[in-house]
Amino acid sequence: MVALFSNVRVLVKAKDLQGKVVVLLFMSLINGFGSGKIVITNLLDIYTKLHLTGAFEIVFVIVRDADFSQYFKQIPTTAHKHFLQTFPSMPWPAIPLSDRKTRKRLETFFAISGDVRTSPRSIIIDPTGVVLHCDATPLFLRYGAAAFPFTSDRIQFLDSEDDVIKKQPPSVKELLASSERDFLINNKGEQVPLHDLDKKVVGLYFSPCLKLQNFTRKLKMIYEELSGNMENFEIVLIYVHGWFEDYYGRTGEASFLHAFRTMPWLAVPFDDTNFIKGLQRLFQYPQELGSKPDYRLMIIGPHGNFMEPWGGNISLLYGVPAYPFNTCSAANLELERIKDLKLEML
């Protein structure tokens, strides 16, 4: 029997894991101050959605004390200090830092190597004890809680749904609706029906950060100018969680709503993370899984009659005259510019 502790120092028995899908999260304490925050933030979202079902659990497994020898002079004092700083941010149980024997046995059994210092390693075990994935980090980033119970059949099902959408591009209303939601929210937190967007040009604004960046400022100016001219144009914020925030102080819904109040457009609700990950897969955002994403504006025409992945570049380069911000409008502006060229200008 293995003793586990929750982050409120409550003893959790290993038998309590029976019948559940269990994730063993191997992590260096040093990683609490490194690149592992993206993985942890995604796991926090997944845990929030799945833990109450009673069929899912995560167990935090700290790497051996010896792994800290080149970083910390005082062992186990410093290791224990970092454990106390890291573990309270996790709502799941952990194998105690003092239980070196169990931690060493698990590391050996699952062949955990030194690369865990740069990125946590997640191993998924099904209720019968079968190891489903030896490194589930890409799966968590790509699918989130929608992939539960994380079997091959479930992943294939999600991929097949994505393929159907790619082959038959839906309208904006169909694209942005989920099985539980047929609305977006405005900057006051009010629900806005999706059918209002069907006849509009819509920009899907994928953003990994809520700080007011230059791109957001320029986009806001364009949006307000078009709104003043009564153009059928709308922007929908797709806030991608957990790329810049440290998981000790990650953005919660209250922080999201506070930042969103400064933006004049609509947004997908903060907690609809499964849906947002589906949009990320569909539009390949970010282009490389796990890479640092940038800001992207995907332009969709009325009734889905065109999709422009370079909408952000076109809007910033040409401004309002490039509306509806597709390649055709940009080409026409370039053609007009070339017509105005004179030999002496060259």
Short mmCIF file of all heavy atoms in Angstrom, two decimals, residues 26-31 35 63-64 66-68 70-71 107-108 110-121:
data_model
loop_
_atom_site.label_atom_id
_atom_site.label_comp_id
_atom_site.label_asym_id
_atom_site.label_seq_id
_atom_site.Cartn_x
_atom_site.Cartn_y
_atom_site.Cartn_z
N PHE A 26 5.20 13.01 -13.04
CA PHE A 26 6.58 13.06 -12.58
C PHE A 26 7.13 14.45 -12.88
O PHE A 26 7.07 14.93 -14.00
CB PHE A 26 7.42 12.01 -13.31
CG PHE A 26 7.11 10.60 -12.92
CD1 PHE A 26 6.14 9.88 -13.59
CD2 PHE A 26 7.79 10.00 -11.86
CE1 PHE A 26 5.84 8.57 -13.22
CE2 PHE A 26 7.50 8.69 -11.49
CZ PHE A 26 6.52 7.98 -12.18
N MET A 27 7.69 15.07 -11.83
CA MET A 27 8.12 16.46 -12.00
C MET A 27 9.26 16.78 -11.06
O MET A 27 9.26 16.39 -9.89
CB MET A 27 6.94 17.40 -11.73
CG MET A 27 7.25 18.87 -11.83
SD MET A 27 5.74 19.86 -11.55
CE MET A 27 6.45 21.48 -11.31
N SER A 28 10.23 17.49 -11.57
CA SER A 28 11.29 18.03 -10.74
C SER A 28 10.78 19.28 -10.05
O SER A 28 10.08 20.09 -10.64
CB SER A 28 12.51 18.37 -11.61
OG SER A 28 13.40 19.20 -10.90
N LEU A 29 11.15 19.46 -8.79
CA LEU A 29 10.73 20.67 -8.09
C LEU A 29 11.32 21.91 -8.73
O LEU A 29 10.76 23.00 -8.65
CB LEU A 29 11.12 20.59 -6.61
CG LEU A 29 10.37 19.54 -5.80
CD1 LEU A 29 10.79 19.58 -4.35
CD2 LEU A 29 8.87 19.76 -5.89
N ILE A 30 12.50 21.75 -9.34
CA ILE A 30 13.11 22.87 -10.04
C ILE A 30 12.19 23.33 -11.16
O ILE A 30 12.10 24.49 -11.49
CB ILE A 30 14.47 22.46 -10.63
CG1 ILE A 30 15.37 21.91 -9.54
CG2 ILE A 30 15.14 23.62 -11.34
CD1 ILE A 30 16.54 21.14 -10.03
N ASN A 31 11.45 22.38 -11.74
CA ASN A 31 10.59 22.68 -12.86
C ASN A 31 9.46 23.60 -12.48
O ASN A 31 8.81 24.20 -13.34
CB ASN A 31 10.03 21.37 -13.43
CG ASN A 31 9.45 21.55 -14.81
OD1 ASN A 31 8.26 21.80 -14.93
ND2 ASN A 31 10.29 21.44 -15.82
N SER A 35 9.71 25.60 -17.46
CA SER A 35 8.77 25.48 -18.57
C SER A 35 7.58 24.60 -18.26
O SER A 35 6.66 24.49 -19.07
CB SER A 35 9.51 24.90 -19.80
OG SER A 35 10.02 23.61 -19.49
N VAL A 63 10.73 13.81 -8.35
CA VAL A 63 11.92 13.04 -8.68
C VAL A 63 12.82 12.92 -7.45
O VAL A 63 12.69 13.66 -6.48
CB VAL A 63 12.71 13.69 -9.84
CG1 VAL A 63 11.90 13.69 -11.12
CG2 VAL A 63 13.14 15.09 -9.48
N ARG A 64 13.75 11.97 -7.51
CA ARG A 64 14.58 11.66 -6.35
C ARG A 64 15.37 12.87 -5.84
O ARG A 64 15.76 13.74 -6.59
CB ARG A 64 15.56 10.53 -6.71
CG ARG A 64 14.97 9.15 -6.61
CD ARG A 64 15.94 8.13 -7.11
NE ARG A 64 15.99 8.13 -8.58
CZ ARG A 64 16.81 7.38 -9.28
NH1 ARG A 64 17.67 6.59 -8.67
NH2 ARG A 64 16.79 7.41 -10.59
N ALA A 66 18.35 13.03 -5.05
CA ALA A 66 19.68 13.12 -5.65
C ALA A 66 19.68 14.01 -6.88
O ALA A 66 20.69 14.60 -7.25
CB ALA A 66 20.17 11.72 -6.04
N ASP A 67 18.54 14.12 -7.51
CA ASP A 67 18.44 14.95 -8.70
C ASP A 67 18.63 16.44 -8.40
O ASP A 67 18.81 17.23 -9.30
CB ASP A 67 17.08 14.75 -9.38
CG ASP A 67 16.95 13.36 -9.98
OD1 ASP A 67 17.99 12.75 -10.23
OD2 ASP A 67 15.82 12.92 -10.19
N PHE A 68 18.57 16.80 -7.12
CA PHE A 68 18.70 18.20 -6.75
C PHE A 68 20.12 18.57 -6.32
O PHE A 68 20.39 19.71 -6.02
CB PHE A 68 17.73 18.53 -5.60
CG PHE A 68 16.30 18.33 -5.95
CD1 PHE A 68 15.66 17.14 -5.67
CD2 PHE A 68 15.60 19.33 -6.59
CE1 PHE A 68 14.34 16.95 -6.02
CE2 PHE A 68 14.26 19.15 -6.93
CZ PHE A 68 13.64 17.95 -6.65
N GLN A 70 22.93 19.06 -7.75
CA GLN A 70 23.69 20.08 -8.47
C GLN A 70 23.04 21.45 -8.37
O GLN A 70 23.62 22.44 -8.80
CB GLN A 70 23.83 19.68 -9.95
CG GLN A 70 22.50 19.49 -10.66
CD GLN A 70 22.70 19.10 -12.11
OE1 GLN A 70 23.46 19.76 -12.83
NE2 GLN A 70 22.05 18.03 -12.55
N TYR A 71 21.83 21.53 -7.82
CA TYR A 71 21.13 22.80 -7.70
C TYR A 71 21.06 23.30 -6.26
O TYR A 71 21.10 24.50 -6.01
CB TYR A 71 19.71 22.68 -8.26
CG TYR A 71 19.69 22.31 -9.71
CD1 TYR A 71 19.51 20.98 -10.09
CD2 TYR A 71 19.84 23.26 -10.71
CE1 TYR A 71 19.47 20.61 -11.44
CE2 TYR A 71 19.81 22.92 -12.04
CZ TYR A 71 19.63 21.59 -12.41
OH TYR A 71 19.60 21.24 -13.73
N GLU A 107 10.06 5.65 -10.55
CA GLU A 107 10.95 6.22 -11.56
C GLU A 107 11.65 5.12 -12.35
O GLU A 107 11.78 5.20 -13.58
CB GLU A 107 12.00 7.12 -10.90
CG GLU A 107 11.46 8.44 -10.38
CD GLU A 107 12.57 9.27 -9.76
OE1 GLU A 107 13.60 9.47 -10.42
OE2 GLU A 107 12.41 9.70 -8.61
N THR A 108 12.09 4.09 -11.64
CA THR A 108 12.78 2.98 -12.30
C THR A 108 11.83 2.21 -13.20
O THR A 108 12.15 1.87 -14.35
CB THR A 108 13.39 2.02 -11.26
OG1 THR A 108 14.29 2.76 -10.43
CG2 THR A 108 14.13 0.88 -11.94
N PHE A 110 9.04 3.16 -14.67
CA PHE A 110 8.58 3.90 -15.84
C PHE A 110 9.73 4.57 -16.60
O PHE A 110 9.49 5.38 -17.50
CB PHE A 110 7.56 4.96 -15.43
CG PHE A 110 6.25 4.38 -14.98
CD1 PHE A 110 5.90 4.38 -13.64
CD2 PHE A 110 5.38 3.81 -15.89
CE1 PHE A 110 4.69 3.83 -13.21
CE2 PHE A 110 4.17 3.27 -15.48
CZ PHE A 110 3.83 3.27 -14.14
N ALA A 111 10.97 4.22 -16.24
CA ALA A 111 12.16 4.70 -16.95
C ALA A 111 12.18 6.22 -17.06
O ALA A 111 12.36 6.80 -18.14
CB ALA A 111 12.24 4.07 -18.34
N ILE A 112 11.98 6.89 -15.93
CA ILE A 112 12.00 8.35 -15.91
C ILE A 112 13.45 8.82 -15.96
O ILE A 112 14.27 8.45 -15.12
CB ILE A 112 11.32 8.89 -14.64
CG1 ILE A 112 9.88 8.39 -14.56
CG2 ILE A 112 11.36 10.41 -14.61
CD1 ILE A 112 9.01 8.80 -15.73
N SER A 113 13.77 9.64 -16.94
CA SER A 113 15.14 10.12 -17.13
C SER A 113 15.28 11.57 -16.70
O SER A 113 14.34 12.20 -16.24
CB SER A 113 15.54 9.96 -18.60
OG SER A 113 14.68 10.73 -19.43
N GLY A 114 16.49 12.10 -16.90
CA GLY A 114 16.78 13.46 -16.46
C GLY A 114 16.01 14.54 -17.19
O GLY A 114 15.96 15.68 -16.73
N ASP A 115 15.41 14.20 -18.36
CA ASP A 115 14.70 15.25 -19.10
C ASP A 115 13.45 15.73 -18.38
O ASP A 115 12.83 16.72 -18.79
CB ASP A 115 14.33 14.77 -20.50
CG ASP A 115 13.41 13.54 -20.49
OD1 ASP A 115 13.08 13.06 -19.39
OD2 ASP A 115 13.04 13.07 -21.58
N VAL A 116 13.06 15.05 -17.29
CA VAL A 116 11.91 15.51 -16.52
C VAL A 116 12.20 16.85 -15.85
O VAL A 116 11.29 17.56 -15.43
CB VAL A 116 11.52 14.44 -15.46
CG1 VAL A 116 12.48 14.47 -14.29
CG2 VAL A 116 10.10 14.66 -14.96
N ARG A 117 13.49 17.22 -15.79
CA ARG A 117 13.83 18.53 -15.20
C ARG A 117 13.35 19.67 -16.07
O ARG A 117 13.10 20.76 -15.59
CB ARG A 117 15.35 18.63 -15.01
CG ARG A 117 15.92 17.68 -13.98
CD ARG A 117 17.34 18.11 -13.62
NE ARG A 117 18.00 17.09 -12.83
CZ ARG A 117 18.89 16.24 -13.31
NH1 ARG A 117 19.23 16.31 -14.58
NH2 ARG A 117 19.45 15.34 -12.54
N THR A 118 13.27 19.45 -17.39
CA THR A 118 12.86 20.52 -18.29
C THR A 118 11.39 20.47 -18.64
O THR A 118 10.81 21.48 -19.05
CB THR A 118 13.68 20.45 -19.60
OG1 THR A 118 13.50 19.16 -20.21
CG2 THR A 118 15.15 20.67 -19.31
N SER A 119 10.75 19.32 -18.49
CA SER A 119 9.33 19.21 -18.76
C SER A 119 8.74 18.05 -17.98
O SER A 119 9.28 16.95 -18.00
CB SER A 119 9.09 18.98 -20.26
OG SER A 119 7.71 18.89 -20.54
N PRO A 120 7.63 18.27 -17.26
CA PRO A 120 7.02 17.17 -16.52
C PRO A 120 6.63 16.03 -17.46
O PRO A 120 6.38 16.25 -18.65
CB PRO A 120 5.77 17.81 -15.90
CG PRO A 120 6.05 19.27 -15.90
CD PRO A 120 6.90 19.53 -17.09
N ARG A 121 6.56 14.83 -16.92
CA ARG A 121 6.14 13.68 -17.71
C ARG A 121 4.90 13.07 -17.09
O ARG A 121 4.87 12.79 -15.89
CB ARG A 121 7.26 12.64 -17.78
CG ARG A 121 6.91 11.45 -18.66
CD ARG A 121 8.13 10.66 -18.99
NE ARG A 121 7.79 9.35 -19.51
CZ ARG A 121 8.62 8.31 -19.50
NH1 ARG A 121 9.83 8.45 -18.99
NH2 ARG A 121 8.26 7.15 -19.99
#
